[in-house]
């Protein structure tokens, strides 16, 4: 473990955040550049490498560093942000989706393939949220 | 919950960063606790009490007391 800590030596919270957000930002820029320059495969590779590197640093650095890079308040912030996101999305979803389907059935609007895709994605996310909530409940 | 963490820290001549390092959290967390914007976990409250050699109730108390 001592050797591992040397790897992350000198990493402050500010540098840690800059590194994670910087690499993630470059990954997104790479993906967009690949899209614009018609180099989709290269863009995707850059994005995946960047996303995995940033994700790896985000998870591993707090374990390997002597400095406190993350603490309980960060987790509390994540929990609150996740709760707000789920709440807002659920409110919008529950209030709008039934109305959309009724209007579609009445031929006032047409639910296109894209909208259907969004609805299925949101439904899958809520299902996943339910599974994660079930897992979390087992631990508390 | 209210607290007198700021006063206790200043009495010891510690910066927020130094206290944070002593109890294993970030400076931002100490700042948030002092501004009554974040209630610490029981574990952190115990660490703070141990650091100042007092009980949790000496540092933290219900709002308005």
């Amino acid at each position: 473990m001592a050797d591992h800590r040397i790897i992350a030596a000198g990493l402050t919270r500010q540098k840690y955040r800059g590194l994670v957000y910087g690499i993630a930002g470059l990954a997104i820029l790479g993906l967009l550049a690949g899209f614009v320059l018609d180099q989709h495969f290269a863009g995707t590779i850059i994005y995946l490498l960047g996303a995995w590197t940033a994700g790896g640093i985000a998870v591993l650095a707090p374990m390997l560093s002597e400095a406190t890079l993350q603490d309980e308040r960060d987790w509390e912030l994540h929990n609150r942000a996740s709760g707000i996101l789920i709440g807002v999305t659920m409110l919008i979803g529950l209030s709008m989706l039934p109305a959309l389907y009724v209007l579609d059935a009445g031929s006032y609007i047409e639910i296109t393939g894209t909208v259907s895709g969004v609805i299925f994605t949101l439904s899958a996310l809520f299902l996943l949220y339910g599974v994660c909530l079930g897992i979390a409940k087992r631990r508390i | 919950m209210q607290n007198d963490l700021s006063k206790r820290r200043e009495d010891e001549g510690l910066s927020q960063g130094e206290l944070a390092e002593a109890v294993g959290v970030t400076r931002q967390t100490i700042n948030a606790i002092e501004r009554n914007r974040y209630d610490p976990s029981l574990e952190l409250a115990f660490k703070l009490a141990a650091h100042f050699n007092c009980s949790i109730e000496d540092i933290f108390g219900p709002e308005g007391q």
Side-chain angles (χ1 to χ4, degrees):
Chain A
M1 196 62 183
D3 292 336
H4 291 158
R5 290 197 180 276
I6 289 168
I7 293 169
L11 191 61
T12 62
R13 181 174 162 88
Q14 201 171 10
K15 281 184 193 169
Y16 163 71
R17 289 191 155 191
L19 204 58
V20 171
Y21 290 135
I23 294 172
L26 284 176
I28 293 167
L29 281 178
L31 184 69
L32 292 175
F35 186 75
V36 171
L37 300 172
D38 204 26
Q39 296 288 327
H40 298 86
F41 186 74
T44 305
I45 293 294
I46 291 170
Y47 174 73
L48 288 177
L49 280 176
W52 286 333
T53 305
I57 292 171
V59 172
L60 293 176
M63 293 187 228
L64 304 178
S65 174
E66 295 273 4
T68 306
L69 303 178
Q70 282 188 333
D71 67 6
E72 58 178 54
R73 181 171 157 271
D74 292 307
W75 293 111
E76 177 69 19
L77 289 172
H78 282 300
N79 286 341
R80 286 191 198 180
S82 303
I84 292 168
L85 174 70
I86 286 291
V88 168
T89 313
M90 204 174 276
L91 194 68
I92 292 171
L94 288 175
S95 64
M96 297 225 4
L97 293 186
L100 283 179
Y101 278 111
V102 170
L103 291 174
D104 180 55
S107 300
Y108 290 98
I109 61 165
E110 186 186 351
I111 295 179
T112 61
T114 307
V115 175
S116 287
V118 170
I119 292 169
F120 281 122
T121 304
L122 284 178
S123 303
L125 276 175
F126 282 129
L127 192 64
L128 187 61
Y129 172 77
V131 171
C132 292
L133 189 65
I135 292 169
K137 273 184 180 174
R138 291 174 67 117
R139 298 188 62 181
I140 299 179
Chain B
M1 207 156 59
Q2 61 184 15
N3 67 79
D4 65 351
L5 192 63
S6 177
K7 184 183 174 303
R8 285 176 184 273
R9 176 178 61 74
E10 284 166 5
D11 285 348
E12 279 200 9
L14 290 173
S15 68
Q16 288 183 339
E18 286 166 339
L19 177 59
E21 198 175 336
V23 294
V25 294
T26 62
R27 185 194 60 76
Q28 288 85 350
T29 296
I30 297 297
N31 183 45
I33 294 170
E34 288 186 357
R35 290 166 63 201
N36 288 320
R37 297 192 64 168
Y38 174 68
D39 292 333
S41 67
L42 201 51
E43 186 184 355
L44 178 53
F46 271 115
K47 281 183 184 173
L48 288 166
H51 177 84
F52 290 110
N53 200 23
C54 62
S55 68
I56 291 176
E57 293 94 326
D58 290 335
I59 305 175
F60 299 97
E63 205 74 49
Q65 279 193 3

